[in-house]
Amino acid sequence: MTESGSAELKRRHRAMWALGDYPSVATEVISGLGRRLVEACRIGAGQHVLDIAAGSGNAAIPAAETGAEVVASDLTPELFEAGRRLAAERGVELRWQQADAEALPYADADFDAVISCVGVMFAPFHQAAADEMLRVTRPGGTIGLINWTPTGFIGQMFATMKPFAPPPPPGAQPPPLWGDETHVRSLLGDRVTDLELRRENAVIDRFADGAEFRDFFKSYYGPAVAVYKAIAAEPDRVAQLDRELTELAARHDLGDGRMEWEYLLVTARRS
């Protein structure tokens, strides 16, 4: 990809995540994931921590609450305002910085822990993002990720939306691949030790039924907003996607308005 093409891809990617209201998704739907990641990584006072693709701070703010010195980085700085408000409400301070996960503006071995909660998985070129994540982690430092799996609900949601979405750029890989154990092992290779890969479920009780889920995500979740925007002039396709997302959520309903969204929890030490 040319330099101009890469810049345009980043512009589009930033614009997609600025659509809707991702901070509402983070706080109303998946608020517990960030704290789960911080606990799994045993982040604590005195550590220098980087949260990649931090959004509005779902993991960065709980990390700061432990007493760690935290940098929350994201390609889409439009998400920072909500994060700053939430951090202020919780009485913590952290540094917010625009940064591309595939070209981080930090020195080698700069951080004691590098984490990402359903964030770095959306960088289009997985190996580049993994290489940068490893580069900025000190030897012996912690790497921690939570990634949606291909077989879980969010992975299936992306598979449902794929036929309605514009084609991805050449070489870009699907985000849920970061939730596949074999793929993660290949990205990290022998540059980590003590690698643990655990499948867990987030219990989601925000939506009464599939229609409420669909309406919330098509209004607030950037990737879904972008897909609907792309087909807005095709009412039949909009109606079809509406049906398919509603049916997907209904199939995952546990029977009492709750769903389980599978994710892969990754922890490792930098070699």
Side-chain angles (χ1 to χ4, degrees), residues 236-247:
D236 289 346
R237 298 190 78 203
V238 170
Q240 182 182 352
L241 182 55
D242 276 348
R243 286 193 301 272
E244 293 189 13
L245 288 178
T246 304
E247 291 167 0

Side-chain angles (χ1 to χ4, degrees), residues 82-102:
R84 289 190 180 100
R85 287 198 304 269
L86 185 57
E89 290 172 7
R90 296 191 184 179
V92 295
E93 293 185 2
L94 52 158
R95 178 180 163 200
W96 302 86
Q97 183 172 18
Q98 183 176 9
D100 180 356
E102 297 170 1

Side-chain angles (χ1 to χ4, degrees), residues 11-29:
R11 185 198 66 77
R12 287 168 46 200
H13 200 67
R14 171 182 170 178
M16 178 186 71
W17 285 105
L19 292 171
D21 183 1
Y22 185 75
S24 290
V25 178
T27 57
E28 295 184 34
V29 184

Side-chain angles (χ1 to χ4, degrees), residues 168-179:
Q173 294 175 288
L177 267 181
W178 271 98

Side-chain angles (χ1 to χ4, degrees), residues 22-200:
Y22 185 75
S24 290
V25 178
T27 57
E28 295 184 34
V29 184
I30 58 170
S31 61
L33 288 187
R35 193 169 302 281
R36 173 70 184 107
L37 181 59
V38 169
E39 291 171 351
C41 293
R42 299 179 181 176
I43 291 172
Q47 288 186 309
H48 190 206
V49 178
L50 173 65
D51 185 359
I52 299 176
S56 53
N58 192 9
I61 292 172
E65 288 178 320
T66 71
E69 176 190 344
V70 180
V71 177
S73 69
D74 201 285
L75 185 66
T76 307
E78 290 88 343
L79 303 175
F80 292 164
E81 182 180 353
R84 289 190 180 100
R85 287 198 304 269
L86 185 57
E89 290 172 7
R90 296 191 184 179
V92 295
E93 293 185 2
L94 52 158
R95 178 180 163 200
W96 302 86
Q97 183 172 18
Q98 183 176 9
D100 180 356
E102 297 170 1
L104 294 170
Y106 309 113
D108 294 357
D110 200 9
F111 295 92
D112 300 308
V114 176
I115 61 175
S116 187
C117 183
V118 295
V120 73
M121 64 179 289
F122 290 99
F125 303 107
H126 295 187
Q127 193 63 65
D131 291 348
E132 281 294 273
M133 177 176 61
L134 291 161
R135 179 183 67 79
V136 302
T137 308
R138 68 164 176 81
T142 300
I143 292 166
L145 309 170
I146 283 181
N147 302 319
W148 302 121
T149 66
T151 54
F153 177 78
I154 295 295
Q156 291 301 300
M157 183 191 74
F158 276 97
T160 299
M161 294 193 301
K162 183 178 179 180
F164 301 88
Q173 294 175 288
L177 267 181
W178 271 98
D180 176 81
E181 292 89 342
T182 300
H183 186 64
V184 172
R185 289 182 188 278
S186 71
L187 292 174
L188 302 181
D190 61 2
R191 294 175 292 176
V192 300
T193 62
D194 304 317
L195 176 63
E196 293 189 20
L197 304 164
R198 290 163 284 186
R199 291 192 178 222
E200 298 181 354

